[in-house]
Amino acid sequence: MSNLRRVKLITFDAYNTLFKPRGSLSAQYVEEAKKCGIEVTKEQITSHFGQAYKNQQLNAPFYGISKGMNPRGWWKELVYSTFLNAGVNSKDPKFDQLYDALYDRFTTADAYSIFPDVMGTLELLKHQGFKLGVISNSDERVVHVVENLKLNRYFDFVLASAVVGFEKPNKAIFNKALELAGDVPAENALHVGDDIDKDYFGAECAGWNSVLLARSKLSYEDFSPAMVADTSIPLHRPKRLLSLHDLYPYINNLSEGEEHKQTTCSL
């Protein structure tokens, strides 16, 4: 078997790997708010969204599913908190209209930009006969986003964690991907994503090959232990790519005899 065919399945994270919010998320929030007659600034949204997101993840992890919540309700609490802290009247009757508009907007192609290295890479990989998929820690809208961006023609499946019931780095979501790909062995699968814990180490602990897409890095800088703080995974420098243009050469150069890293996992 050639080195290239060691990998049969390639999966990608979605957000910040294949696409990102068009312009800025805060600008889109301001635009929808203005349509509803709600005045708020980009600076106000930027100042409060990140903290609201962290608090929501802490108080109701994984969309609050264990608490009986659903993704739509989870996001509504987050958006409500963001606007409330930005000074918007909590009793504003137009808020529900605003929230519905925001929720729907981030299902459409208008809300996102595809990274310039994505289409050509997917075209090449599809032409070379690889099975391709998406594994995303997100709600069910990611399936529609992929469709609306017309990326679905490249993928054999799109896995949204809220639908599957498991999040990366849980091994179960990676196993589900192998099943959907036709029971491809884990050692013949490669996952590409931008999160060290969830994507890189998550896939590695599931027995996959993995590579970190470091779009924001200007060089192959030294790995920082702080990036995986509070985990029981031993720290080693992850394999990185700066662009998806480097992915096919990377796969082609994978050595058949390369030892898989012995990583202690507690997922």
Side-chain angles (χ1 to χ4, degrees), residues 5 25 27 32 61 131 147 212-213 229 232 240 254 263-264:
R5 289 307 165 204
L25 181 144
E32 290 299 334
K131 293 186 177 182
E147 290 174 353
L212 185 70
L213 182 61
S232 60
R240 297 174 183 262
L254 276 176
T263 302
T264 302

Side-chain angles (χ1 to χ4, degrees), residues 41-70:
T41 67
K42 285 176 56 178
E43 291 71 25
Q44 288 173 314
I45 297 297
T46 301
S47 296
H48 298 291
F49 179 86
Q51 189 58 53
Y53 185 79
K54 290 177 183 178
N55 291 342
Q56 190 71 337
Q57 285 189 313
L58 181 64
N59 297 331
F62 197 15
Y63 299 110
I65 291 173
S66 65
K67 297 183 175 182
M69 298 176 69
N70 58 42

Side-chain angles (χ1 to χ4, degrees), residues 209-265:
N209 301 283
S210 60
V211 65
L212 185 70
L213 182 61
R215 291 191 180 280
S216 61
K217 305 300 180 184
L218 298 179
S219 64
Y220 288 88
E221 63 190 59
D222 290 338
F223 174 54
S224 169
M227 299 177 81
V228 288
D230 302 321
T231 75
S232 60
I233 300 173
L235 305 178
H236 64 75
R237 178 172 175 160
K239 292 164 282 189
R240 297 174 183 262
L241 300 178
L242 298 184
S243 166
L244 287 181
H245 290 315
D246 300 325
L247 181 58
Y248 185 69
Y250 172 80
I251 297 169
N252 200 21
N253 289 328
L254 276 176
S255 122
E256 284 185 353
E258 183 184 54
E259 277 188 37
H260 194 74
K261 292 189 181 297
Q262 297 299 309
T263 302
T264 302
C265 303

Side-chain angles (χ1 to χ4, degrees), residues 62 135-137 161 166-175 191 195-208 228 230-233 265-267:
F62 197 15
I135 306 177
S136 176
N137 280 3
S161 61
F166 301 98
E167 288 186 300
K168 296 175 294 185
N170 194 310
K171 183 178 179 179
I173 196 167
F174 291 100
N175 287 343
H191 181 66
D195 188 285
I196 289 179
D197 286 340
K198 298 178 178 65
D199 292 309
Y200 184 82
F201 285 124
E204 191 173 83
C205 287
W208 290 42
V228 288
D230 302 321
T231 75
S232 60
I233 300 173
C265 303
S266 58
L267 305 177

